[in-house]
Amino acid sequence: MKYVSTRFKVTFGFEEALFCCFTEDGGLLMPETTPKVSLETLKKWKNLTYDEIVKQVVGLFVAEDEVPEDARDKLLDNAFQHFDTKDIVCLKELNDGLNVLELWHGDTLAFKDLAMTCTVQFLNYFLKKRKKHFTAVVVTSGDTGSSAIYGARNLKTIDVIVLYPHNRISKLQELMMTTAGADNIHLYAVDGSSDDIDIAAMKVWTDAGFIKEHNVGTMNSMNWCRIMIQIAHHIYAYLKVAKQIGDPVNIIIPCGGCGNMTSCVLARDMRLPIQPVGVSNKNDSFHKMMKFNERVLSNVSVSLAPAMDIALAQNVERIIWLLTDRSYDIVRHAMEDFLTNKKSKLPDSAYKKMCDVISTSVASDEIIIKAMKRCWEENQYHICPHTATAVAHFYGITEGCFAVREEKNVPSVCLATASAAKFAEAVEKADLPPCHSPKIQALEGIKERYEYVAKDVDWADLIRNKVVSISLRYQKK
Ligand SMILES: *Cc1c(COP(=O)(O)O)cnc(C)c1O
């Protein structure tokens, strides 16, 4: 399997893809062709466990001569050691046909752990083999940071620089990062939104010379490996919920940076009979792009679902590329327009192809609260404010529903992207009993470690300087 940039047809192997953030032409990596999964194969996979499905997926996307099967299985087994349920992900079948797939049983109580743990293991595998060191620059709107920190802390091969928007994430999201200190973790609380920080980090991520010199990359969802691993939970969701293999299933996804949506669209391209439905919170630029064929770079506002407070969803580029039959030209034009004019439109025929696949809607804070309440009343079951956007769509209470393709009378699965225990503020706002987790109780009393970064600091310079000091330290060893 080879990978290509979304902007020009240049090819990369899996190892290069794993360490790459943006390609030199500014694009993101995607598989050159999509491996297809037949109904016969799906039938064979029907009773596989989640980790077995991950192994099958990796087998389709990573060449045996890059990572041999036994090494692959070993590193994936390592990745899943810390999950608190035997099955790693679990399906909850609730009242009125509501299916919720809990993807948050990892260390940081959010779905990011599923792919992050594997990505870190793959990175470590190649770094050990090459005797090299890697610095990941990670910008987080809440959950990516803690997941990257837990995945990589205390590894000798990787340092992680994490920047998060100060006062714009939940208390527990912050506490998870600030208490997880280790010498290879460098945490900055920045006075800006995650999109603002992203723009600064972008200066570093796209500085090809610098990246190469210091072996810098990211564990944000620009990293192909995360997208690849996430394909597995869509397949798992399908196999658990489809009445018969071959029947369609709606997969309802709380969308932020659209990494999860990209994985879903890829799974569909592999011929999984699924209908992707993306739900945004009030930061609804993805929904607006789908509904009006106009992608606008707007400002982000703080919502009850902070991990979705994103206007600059990097992975939209991958989705456009895949759904316009891998059209490098369309992507290049759209992205140039978007980055220069803060606005872009797709050609009509390309837009139509997107609409044929994806449905979207929007859940405001008010609707999030309604869905959390109703889910509790009907099931005595807590959902987090992100998951609530998907559940709200299932309940039919989201706004501006844009559902050209979504089929009624078809089973749906709502992806539960985080545990409600991580979002105590929202649970309280919804007037529900508190939701506890031993993982959160364990954080009490641990000393917090982070550095505050003011607005007037040049954030890109700050990142560059930190990278340089890490790489100097590493060279001395
Ligand atoms: C990251 C995250 C999302 C958004 O996922 P994307 O892949 O960025 O769209 C939604 N919910 C939670 C809890 C998250 O951590």
Side-chain angles (χ1 to χ4, degrees):
M1 170 64 71
K2 289 285 174 203
Y3 293 91
V4 290
S5 161
T6 46
R7 306 252 180 120
F8 287 97
K9 195 168 178 176
V10 275
T11 57
F12 300 80
F14 174 70
E15 182 179 351
E16 285 172 293
L18 176 68
F19 285 91
C20 178
C21 179
F22 292 95
T23 53
E24 285 192 28
D25 52 52
L28 293 168
L29 291 175
M30 283 290 272
E32 186 173 22
T33 54
T34 307
K36 305 293 184 228
V37 178
S38 66
L39 292 182
E40 274 58 53
T41 306
L42 286 176
K43 281 177 192 155
K44 280 192 210 132
W45 288 0
K46 171 90 180 137
N47 294 316
L48 293 189
T49 54
Y50 168 78
D51 54 318
E52 286 167 339
I53 291 177
V54 174
K55 287 170 188 170
Q56 296 294 333
V57 169
V58 171
L60 293 172
F61 285 96
V62 180
E64 165 86 24
D65 61 0
E66 289 211 70
V67 187
E69 198 176 314
D70 52 339
R72 174 196 82 196
D73 287 356
K74 208 167 120 197
L75 73 85
L76 290 172
D77 289 339
N78 270 341
F80 295 125
Q81 264 179 8
H82 287 265
F83 284 74
D84 65 15
T85 57
K86 186 175 72 33
D87 298 333
I88 305 169
V89 302
C90 347
L91 181 73
K92 287 277 182 310
E93 292 167 277
L94 303 170
N95 289 321
D96 280 338
L98 172 62
N99 294 307
V100 174
L101 189 68
E102 295 177 346
L103 302 171
W104 45 258
H105 289 281
D107 276 335
T108 74
L109 299 172
F111 89 104
K112 305 285 195 309
D113 291 333
L114 290 172
M116 192 71 79
T117 50
C118 300
T119 303
V120 168
Q121 292 294 325
F122 274 111
L123 288 165
N124 192 40
Y125 171 80
F126 285 109
L127 289 164
K128 275 182 156 166
K129 191 165 149 188
R130 310 273 178 231
K131 299 197 170 43
K132 277 175 95 173
H133 175 271
F134 176 69
T135 302
V137 175
V138 173
V139 177
T140 182
S141 58
D143 290 328
T144 306
S146 51
S147 183
I149 293 170
Y150 272 78
R153 64 180 173 170
N154 298 320
L155 283 180
K156 291 194 171 52
T157 49
I158 303 175
D159 275 59
V160 188
I161 300 174
V162 177
L163 301 103
Y164 71 91
H166 191 53
N167 284 339
R168 290 173 187 237
I169 64 176
S170 93
K171 284 220 164 49
L172 292 169
Q173 282 181 313
E174 183 167 23
L175 198 63
M176 249 179 190
M177 294 195 276
T178 57
T179 54
D183 289 344
N184 66 331
I185 305 297
H186 316 278
L187 184 61
Y188 297 98
V190 181
D191 186 10
S193 75
S194 75
D195 276 0
D196 294 341
I197 308 170
D198 229 26
I199 289 164
M202 201 84 130
K203 292 185 190 157
V204 181
W205 284 326
T206 55
D207 183 345
F210 184 81
I211 292 273
K212 209 171 191 156
E213 185 182 349
H214 299 287
N215 208 20
V216 179
T218 189
M219 297 198 280
N220 277 95
S221 60
M222 285 82 85
N223 191 310
W224 158 253
C225 189
R226 286 189 47 202
I227 304 295
M228 172 180 77
I229 301 294
Q230 286 172 185
I231 292 171
H233 63 244
H234 296 283
I235 297 177
Y236 184 84
Y238 177 78
L239 294 174
K240 282 276 172 198
V241 168
K243 283 194 203 80
Q244 273 188 29
I245 300 300
D247 289 357
V249 168
N250 298 319
I251 304 219
I252 312 177
I253 310 169
C255 284
C258 289
N260 211 355
M261 176 54 86
T262 305
S263 304
C264 187
V265 172
L266 264 163
R268 188 179 189 278
D269 203 44
M270 291 166 80
R271 299 272 189 274
L272 198 69
I274 49 177
Q275 169 56 52
V277 183
V279 191
S280 306
N281 65 16
K282 63 183 170 182
N283 295 291
D284 60 353
S285 50
F286 179 61
H287 166 72
K288 288 212 176 103
M289 177 188 101
M290 290 305 304
K291 189 156 182 174
F292 304 114
N293 186 18
E294 188 170 60
R295 189 173 180 209
V296 181
L297 185 55
S298 42
N299 292 325
V300 271
S301 49
V302 178
S303 79
L304 284 176
M308 296 158 64
D309 289 347
I310 293 174
L312 182 76
Q314 306 277 11
N315 283 294
V316 166
E317 175 160 355
R318 286 184 159 124
I319 297 173
I320 295 174
W321 180 81
L322 191 67
L323 295 184
T324 56
D325 304 324
R326 299 174 155 76
S327 173
Y328 303 89
D329 288 340
I330 288 176
V331 170
R332 208 166 46 240
H333 286 136
M335 290 310 296
E336 273 163 14
D337 247 13
F338 183 61
L339 296 174
T340 17
N341 308 323
K342 300 196 169 176
K343 234 184 215 190
S344 72
K345 233 177 163 58
L346 293 173
D348 285 346
S349 60
Y351 172 60
K352 195 178 162 299
K353 284 180 188 159
M354 306 264 300
C355 298
D356 279 346
V357 174
I358 298 174
S359 309
T360 62
S361 65
V362 181
S364 63
D365 280 355
E366 198 189 337
I367 289 172
I368 287 174
I369 294 286
K370 269 193 190 150
M372 289 174 76
K373 272 185 191 292
R374 177 164 159 193
C375 187
W376 176 262
E377 278 158 16
E378 292 181 5
N379 307 287
Q380 271 73 59
Y381 179 76
H382 276 300
I383 47 175
C384 89
H386 309 80
T387 308
T389 63
V391 171
H393 182 92
F394 177 79
Y395 286 154
I397 58 172
T398 47
E399 288 162 349
C401 189
F402 174 67
V404 178
R405 295 268 313 165
E406 190 184 356
E407 297 178 53
K408 300 289 170 211
N409 308 317
V410 164
S412 293
V413 191
C414 297
L415 299 188
T417 48
S419 156
K422 207 172 175 179
F423 298 93
E425 296 98 330
V427 172
E428 207 181 302
K429 239 187 196 143
D431 233 349
L432 303 181
C435 175
H436 297 291
S437 159
K439 283 176 186 156
I440 287 183
Q441 276 145 8
L443 303 177
E444 269 172 41
I446 300 179
K447 190 173 164 334
E448 292 191 59
R449 259 213 254 180
Y450 68 93
E451 209 173 294
Y452 172 76
V453 182
K455 247 196 175 63
D456 58 359
V457 171
D458 184 328
W459 305 335
D461 269 357
L462 174 99
I463 300 170
R464 277 204 184 87
N465 293 338
K466 191 72 206 174
V467 166
V468 171
S469 84
I470 291 167
S471 83
L472 282 175
R473 204 187 67 206
Y474 184 75
Q475 281 159 22
K476 269 191 221 142
K477 276 188 191 159

